[in-house]
Amino acid sequence: MIAPGRNSPCPCGSGKRYKDCHGALGAPVDPLAGDGISRRQLDAALAAQQAGRYAEAIALYEAVIAAQPRNFDALHMLGVVHYQRGDFDRAHALVGDALATRPADAGARHNMDLIEAALERRVIERAICAETLPRFAKRCVAAPTLEDRWRWRGTTLDLIVSRPDLRDPAAEAESLTRWLGATATVWVYRQPPAPAAAGQSLRTIDPATDALPRGRVAIFYGADISPAAWYARAAVTDVALYCDAYDPCALADRIPELAREGRTRLRLLFASPALARRTGLPGGVVGLSDRE
């Protein structure tokens, strides 16, 4: 695996070049860094992180931490990855653990300042987005009807998993498509860690090779990932968004995008009545325990 470019900014956020920071030749070895295997894992994790392969980087950092729970570099950089992914709570906990082992480290203290500022901004942003969400209803969201429960029964549809944190997207998607009574081609934005369930087709979206959902019906599982790179080429005319978590900012971004700013009526599906009430938007409640 290729290490980060030596003249590139170090992924730790210190502002230094990689060769002057984590990639410094002859740098003193951290007594908590462990053996050569762990050092190679850290180098591989840094390379994956710099390339934007966050899931891979997380797995590598976690492997080091499992063997060496107080490894400063692994804790610090894993926190930075979660910060880059927008998981500020997890980032705060990890960088805090890193600072507990090395309180004076300037890079980690700088990153902690960034994380705490992001946490403060998130409170404000969520309040604004929560107030804005109901305004999308008239323009972008289709009113639910009695027929919606069976709308897709017996059809073949594309189900796009837009939640990057699902450990088993095949199983999650299978539960939803069974409730819908449909047959689905399940699309993910990265190579899935688990095989497709029996009777399902599991594919990876890749706009560069034109591997894209092409069906008329598309259901998006989660609102985390924007489909902007390929959605303009989609032939979808019947689109729904399944919400199993409340993130008003993600919904405020995704609803107008999926509805093409109101040109396509978007149907909303919620994991619970409480979630539907909290969102303040019209939609149907999905009962994944209902197998009728």
Side-chain angles (χ1 to χ4, degrees), residues 80-97:
V80 173
V81 175
H82 283 289
Y83 170 75
Q84 291 170 316
R85 296 180 69 223
D87 187 351
F88 304 134
D89 292 317
R90 182 67 178 140
H92 190 275
L94 286 161
V95 176
D97 288 344

Side-chain angles (χ1 to χ4, degrees), residues 1 4 6 17 22 43 65 106 115 129 134 167 180 194 210 253 263 287 292:
M1 185 169 294
R6 294 190 54 71
R17 290 177 296 180
H22 279 80
D43 289 342
I65 293 169
I115 293 165
C129 290
R167 293 194 177 274
L180 295 170
D210 215 34
D253 287 338
R263 295 191 300 275
E292 295 181 4

Side-chain angles (χ1 to χ4, degrees), residues 172-192:
E172 299 282 354
E174 193 270 342
S175 295
L176 179 56
T177 52
R178 282 183 62 189
W179 185 86
L180 295 170
T183 301
T185 299
V186 181
W187 296 84
V188 294
Y189 285 90
R190 57 181 171 78
Q191 191 61 37

Side-chain angles (χ1 to χ4, degrees), residues 43-62:
D43 289 342
L46 279 166
Q49 180 179 359
Q50 190 177 53
R53 301 192 305 274
Y54 296 141
E56 179 182 341
I58 287 171
L60 288 164
Y61 287 131
E62 288 180 344

Side-chain angles (χ1 to χ4, degrees), residues 7-242:
N7 288 311
S8 301
C10 188
C12 77
S14 65
K16 299 178 182 179
R17 290 177 296 180
Y18 176 68
K19 70 180 183 181
D20 298 323
C21 192
H22 279 80
L25 290 174
V29 176
D30 183 344
L32 296 175
D35 55 24
I37 294 175
S38 297
R39 190 73 258 173
R40 288 194 295 273
Q41 287 177 311
L42 287 170
D43 289 342
L46 279 166
Q49 180 179 359
Q50 190 177 53
R53 301 192 305 274
Y54 296 141
E56 179 182 341
I58 287 171
L60 288 164
Y61 287 131
E62 288 180 344
V64 175
I65 293 169
Q68 301 158 20
R70 297 180 63 246
N71 185 299
F72 171 83
D73 285 335
L75 290 167
H76 179 201
M77 297 308 296
L78 181 58
V80 173
V81 175
H82 283 289
Y83 170 75
Q84 291 170 316
R85 296 180 69 223
D87 187 351
F88 304 134
D89 292 317
R90 182 67 178 140
H92 190 275
L94 286 161
V95 176
D97 288 344
L99 283 169
T101 70
R102 197 186 294 175
D105 186 86
R109 292 179 68 86
H110 171 72
N111 285 328
M112 180 62 87
D113 289 341
L114 293 177
I115 293 165
E116 290 179 345
L119 285 167
E120 292 176 3
R121 288 195 304 272
R122 186 176 65 180
V123 173
I124 299 171
E125 290 169 355
R126 283 187 168 177
I128 294 171
C129 290
E131 182 180 345
T132 304
L133 266 181
R135 301 178 188 178
F136 294 130
K138 185 179 294 185
R139 183 173 57 139
C140 297
V141 178
T145 67
L146 294 175
E147 291 75 29
D148 280 348
R149 170 65 176 86
W150 312 112
R151 181 180 183 84
W152 299 283
R153 192 171 189 84
T155 65
T156 299
L157 52 84
D158 289 314
L159 195 151
I160 298 96
V161 178
S162 299
R163 284 273 306 277
D165 56 342
L166 293 182
R167 293 194 177 274
D168 192 347
E172 299 282 354
E174 193 270 342
S175 295
L176 179 56
T177 52
R178 282 183 62 189
W179 185 86
L180 295 170
T183 301
T185 299
V186 181
W187 296 84
V188 294
Y189 285 90
R190 57 181 171 78
Q191 191 61 37
Q200 278 192 324
S201 176
L202 195 61
R203 301 180 186 177
T204 301
I205 294 173
D206 185 359
T209 62
D210 215 34
L212 306 171
R214 297 291 187 184
R216 183 185 63 84
V217 182
I219 295 181
F220 288 79
Y221 192 120
D224 294 357
I225 302 174
S226 169
W230 60 271
Y231 196 53
R233 289 184 260 170
V236 59
T237 57
D238 191 355
V239 59
L241 172 61
Y242 172 65

